[in-house]
Amino acid sequence: MIRKMALLAETVPEAVDLTSGMPSWDTFPISSATFKCKNGTTLELSEDEMKDITPYQSSQGMTELLTWIRKFHEKYHSPPLMDNENSERRFDICVTPGAMGAMSVLFPIIMERNDVVLLEEFNYPGTTNNIDKVSAYPIELSMDEFGVKPDALVDAIVNWKQKAIESGAPNPDDLNPPKVFYTVPIGHNPTGIVVPLQRKKEIYKIAQKYNLLIVEDDPYFYFQYDEIFTPSYQSIDVDGRVIRIDSMAKFFAPGLRIGWVTGPSKIIRTVIPAQVSATIAPGAFAQIAVLKLFGKTGMVGFQDRIQELKNFYKPKRDLSVSLLKKHLKDDVEWIEPQAGIFLWMKLKNLSDSMIFIDSEDCRKYGVFVVPGAGFLVRPKGPCPYLRISFTRMSTEDLEKGIICLSQWIKDATRKELSGI
């Protein structure tokens, strides 16, 4: 009621607004701000602009930022329902505190207690934590070099109860059939896989047949290394069944905590009041920083940023792959990532990558990696995979790290073969 009356008061400027619990602008200690960019650009926030961002913000996001997001979704995804007049199915947006913030308000809306949720067999732990929070039950789907296998998705939909029993669900009879498929289709974390358009079309047809929602969590979409981007699920969504999560964490800066969720208005309009209860609204400084940067440079600036990131990360990806070929070709196998910031490896001669959590050996060999078991929906025996990220290292440190890792793997292989 408070928010409703405050919004109503904004529509009648001449009226006296006694609704708001906001402090006076006169007490706010910051009168202006300046953002200095590495390219020499200076972005100014005047005193009048500071007055605009000091109150509680719209729970959906700043109007100007929403307009900007709509523009580049239209350019890069061209959602078929963007201009649909059906108010429940038309394209809509809500800005959130990063991708995790989007999940925390979205998942309780589209998932219920004891719902079966389908997702890739390897996943970022924060995702499964958010599924656990709503007491839903995740069932993992096997993958190949093109992402989730369509037959694995169909099998899990049709035989979901048997899959739950096989995975050790404590009360499989209490579970509900799956209605949500969650996926990271571009530069998948941790595998680096890019799901090609043809595979996406196959998955989408399955979603249509069995009436699934698709949650497309896509923070690495703009980190594709090919000149022509693989289109998103949103770009082929003719039904209003794709809910897309985007984030500025990797594109701009993780600490800003700015992301957004887009999709059919019926769902997004439920996310907005849920966000009121969670955070009221994303931080104004973070929103205005993103808006100032890309609002000033426009779509050209956004495209320049994509190219800048590609020019920076692609050589690091190429170097990482060349170092693996040079030092580890007999010990690991991998798929060269076409997007994202991760390289996923499978040990050829060792059964379990958990050896890499030994603190003494980490210090001895001077390198740290993430064992694949950390990304399993539910650990089940030895896991021979590991993940490295090649983004933050200098050329010298990257080479040093791969050489150290190579020595560690070779020593561990000798020990295992000799039975030590």
Side-chain angles (χ1 to χ4, degrees):
M1 186 62 70
I2 296 171
R3 298 289 285 178
K4 183 176 181 179
M5 295 308 299
L7 290 171
L8 180 61
E10 290 178 5
T11 66
V12 189
E14 66 275 13
V16 178
D17 178 11
L18 301 178
T19 66
S20 176
M22 288 184 288
S24 167
W25 154 254
D26 294 332
T27 68
F28 190 69
I30 303 173
S31 61
S32 62
T34 301
F35 298 96
K36 292 185 178 179
C37 303
K38 290 182 178 178
N39 64 3
T41 304
T42 299
L43 307 175
E44 300 283 350
L45 270 178
S46 68
E47 186 167 324
D48 286 341
E49 288 173 316
M50 289 298 293
K51 288 180 180 179
D52 290 337
I53 71 169
T54 49
Y56 292 121
Q57 298 298 312
S58 162
S59 298
Q60 186 176 6
M62 289 183 168
T63 302
E64 297 88 345
L65 184 56
L66 295 172
T67 300
W68 179 76
I69 292 170
R70 177 175 286 272
K71 283 180 180 177
F72 78 76
H73 270 259
E74 185 173 15
K75 176 175 177 59
Y76 284 95
H77 307 291
S78 190
L81 297 178
M82 178 164 273
D83 298 319
N84 189 283
E85 293 182 359
N86 184 323
S87 61
E88 291 191 344
R89 297 172 69 227
R90 63 180 169 80
F91 176 87
D92 213 341
I93 310 164
C94 181
V95 179
T96 60
M100 289 292 104
M103 286 184 204
S104 68
V105 291
L106 174 65
F107 283 9
I109 292 167
I110 62 172
M111 301 173 191
E112 296 178 294
R113 183 180 183 84
N114 293 330
D115 274 1
V116 166
V117 179
L118 306 177
L119 68 170
E120 287 108 343
E121 60 183 313
F122 294 100
N123 255 282
Y124 177 65
T127 301
T128 48
N129 288 343
N130 272 295
I131 293 173
D132 289 342
K133 283 181 183 178
V134 296
S135 298
Y137 190 79
I139 289 182
E140 61 269 38
L141 306 173
S142 59
M143 305 167 68
D144 59 19
E145 68 269 29
F146 304 118
V148 165
K149 300 174 184 177
D151 59 347
L153 177 58
V154 173
D155 185 32
I157 296 169
V158 174
N159 301 304
W160 60 270
K161 184 169 284 189
Q162 182 59 35
K163 295 291 181 184
I165 293 170
E166 292 171 0
S167 67
N171 299 297
D173 289 336
D174 295 336
L175 297 177
N176 306 314
K179 60 189 179 189
V180 174
F181 167 54
Y182 168 91
T183 180
V184 181
I186 301 291
H188 175 264
N189 182 9
T191 68
I193 286 172
V194 170
V195 181
L197 179 59
Q198 184 55 42
R199 175 66 61 88
K200 285 179 177 172
K201 288 180 178 179
E202 292 178 61
I203 297 290
Y204 190 82
K205 285 181 180 178
I206 294 169
Q208 287 180 308
K209 181 177 179 179
Y210 294 100
N211 197 25
L212 288 180
L213 282 173
I214 297 174
V215 177
E216 178 178 37
D217 186 1
D218 216 358
Y220 307 105
F221 180 84
Y222 303 102
F223 285 69
Q224 297 188 55
Y225 298 126
D226 289 343
E227 288 303 316
I228 299 176
F229 278 9
T230 298
S232 63
Y233 277 107
Q234 189 177 80
S235 71
I236 59 173
D237 181 24
V238 295
D239 299 337
R241 68 176 63 253
V242 173
I243 306 163
R244 181 178 169 83
I245 298 174
D246 282 273
S247 171
M248 286 283 99
K250 309 298 189 298
F251 193 82
F252 198 159
L256 286 177
R257 307 312 306 141
I258 286 292
W260 52 88
V261 57
T262 54
S265 182
K266 184 174 183 177
I267 293 175
I268 302 303
R269 288 287 148 181
T270 312
V271 168
I272 296 168
Q275 179 152 269
V276 172
S277 300
T279 61
I280 296 184
F285 266 119
Q287 291 188 75
I288 205 70
V290 173
L291 183 60
K292 276 284 182 178
L293 181 62
F294 295 121
K296 184 171 183 176
T297 59
M299 195 58 66
V300 172
F302 190 76
Q303 292 168 319
D304 288 346
R305 178 63 174 164
I306 291 174
Q307 193 60 49
E308 177 187 358
L309 292 170
K310 184 184 294 188
N311 292 344
F312 186 85
Y313 287 130
K314 189 172 183 291
K316 288 179 178 286
R317 187 278 310 265
D318 294 343
L319 175 61
S320 300
V321 170
S322 68
L323 289 170
L324 291 184
K325 290 177 180 177
K326 181 178 180 181
H327 299 288
L328 278 164
K329 64 180 180 179
D330 296 327
D331 300 297
V332 301
E333 56 188 49
W334 64 91
I335 297 173
E336 184 173 312
Q338 300 305 307
I341 60 176
F342 303 113
L343 217 160
W344 185 242
M345 294 178 276
K346 182 179 182 180
L347 297 165
K348 289 182 178 181
N349 307 310
L350 294 168
S351 60
D352 197 352
S353 62
M354 288 298 285
I355 61 169
F356 298 112
I357 68 168
D358 185 280
S359 58
E360 289 187 10
D361 278 346
C362 287
R363 293 186 181 94
K364 174 183 174 182
Y365 290 98
V367 64
F368 294 84
V369 299
V370 185
F375 302 97
L376 286 169
V377 174
R378 51 183 60 82
K380 48 191 178 197
C383 178
Y385 293 92
L386 65 143
R387 190 199 79 176
I388 66 170
S389 178
F390 50 81
T391 54
R392 299 184 69 182
M393 300 299 102
S394 66
T395 299
E396 294 75 16
D397 283 344
L398 196 52
E399 183 167 14
K400 177 184 175 183
I402 297 294
I403 292 172
C404 291
L405 179 61
S406 171
Q407 188 60 55
W408 191 350
I409 292 174
K410 292 181 192 310
D411 289 349
T413 301
R414 281 194 293 271
K415 286 181 181 180
E416 185 164 301
L417 291 176
S418 62
I420 298 176

